[in-house]
Amino acid sequence: MNDGDPHIHVEASVPSTRAAVRNLTASVFGLVGELPTEVTAGCGKRVPYAMTSTRPESVTCLACREHAHTQHLRFAEQIVTMGPTPGITIPATDIARAAAEHRAIARRFADPA
């Protein structure tokens, strides 16, 4: 961990569901899991979890912004590719909307902070 790093990073596992899963667990079972003290960022550094963000406007590490941009575009393509899979009951409009939302997030990460 680099204590002198002033940048806000993004977790390497973008898009991250850590907070959503934690909130769901807390609301359903009344249990709150502990967040990690540090995580691997998109730039490859180990950083304090408190120095990460999912909001593109908050991320100041350029390597992390590029990583998140690429990952959200990949995720959008996976959504589109998996959408027409037999047995999937999600409406095509919902699949298209989800992919569009991830492409929009990717564009926000591509814009300079």
Side-chain angles (χ1 to χ4, degrees):
M1 177 169 70
N2 184 357
D3 293 337
D5 184 0
H7 293 290
I8 301 298
H9 298 270
V10 70
E11 278 190 74
S13 59
V14 173
S16 178
T17 58
R18 184 186 315 266
V21 169
R22 183 175 183 266
N23 291 341
L24 179 65
T25 303
S27 67
V28 172
F29 301 109
L31 303 171
V32 180
E34 289 187 27
L35 292 172
T37 56
E38 61 178 46
V39 295
T40 301
C43 63
K45 293 180 181 178
R46 292 286 296 172
V47 299
Y49 182 74
M51 294 297 288
T52 65
S53 179
T54 57
R55 293 185 55 241
E57 296 78 16
S58 298
V59 177
T60 59
C61 174
L62 296 179
C64 282
R65 291 181 70 85
E66 183 178 322
H67 172 77
H69 169 78
T70 302
Q71 291 301 100
H72 277 283
L73 288 178
R74 272 193 198 138
F75 194 63
E77 287 308 310
Q78 287 177 349
I79 291 169
V80 170
T81 302
M82 292 172 54
T85 304
I88 297 292
T89 58
I90 302 169
T93 54
D94 289 350
I95 291 168
R97 186 183 53 198
E101 287 175 11
H102 280 281
R103 288 187 187 108
I105 293 169
R107 279 191 300 276
R108 289 170 51 204
F109 273 112
D111 290 338

